[in-house]
Amino acid sequence: MTAVLTLDAPIAPLTTGDPGERSAVAIATHVGGHVFDVLSGRRTVHEIGEHVSARVAALLLTTRLHAAQGPEHRVRSVHACPITEFAVEACMVVGTNDRVRALVLRVERDGERWVCTRLSLV
């Protein structure tokens, strides 16, 4: 599954509902958007604590996208695949017109919420 966003498209929050009924792309966009906000300096790790595991939170505290400040740094596309009923693996392509990076993440269901349990910045 793939969702391609324009450079100026905002990441909209998910509507309420049963997490089991959300698409893999919607889950990855929602959770990955929170992770990207931390990497780009728009939020703190503490603000998104319910969306990341302790391991990912520790990684986020030591990692930041350099020069990611500003409105031109956006999520360009989200590619996601459901691995099981309780896990999604995804890649988010982020960047500007000059530089593109990828966030690779695994999101797992923890009760009624989805949590990023693995993260890699490529």
Side-chain angles (χ1 to χ4, degrees):
M1 294 180 194
T2 302
V4 178
L5 307 173
T6 63
L7 288 176
D8 59 347
I11 297 176
L14 292 177
T15 58
T16 58
D18 180 14
E21 295 176 5
R22 296 182 183 150
S23 75
V25 171
I27 292 164
T29 300
H30 180 70
V31 176
H34 289 303
V35 170
F36 179 66
D37 283 348
V38 171
L39 289 170
S40 61
R42 296 178 189 132
R43 290 181 181 221
T44 66
V45 174
H46 302 296
E47 290 178 85
I48 68 158
E50 68 181 15
H51 298 289
V52 296
S53 67
R55 179 180 177 185
V56 171
L59 178 64
L60 289 172
L61 286 170
T62 61
T63 306
R64 174 170 247 146
L65 288 174
H66 297 290
Q69 308 280 332
E72 70 282 351
H73 209 91
R74 300 269 187 206
V75 174
R76 299 179 71 171
S77 64
V78 178
H79 311 271
C81 181
I83 302 303
T84 69
E85 184 180 340
F86 303 101
V88 171
E89 290 188 349
C91 173
M92 297 181 71
V93 179
V94 300
T96 65
N97 291 332
D98 298 331
R99 185 167 185 188
V100 177
R101 307 279 305 263
L103 301 176
V104 181
L105 47 111
R106 181 177 179 99
V107 182
E108 297 178 358
R109 189 171 173 177
D110 180 19
E112 291 297 314
R113 62 192 173 118
W114 290 89
V115 177
C116 180
T117 58
R118 305 257 174 152
L119 175 67
S120 181
L121 181 61
V122 182

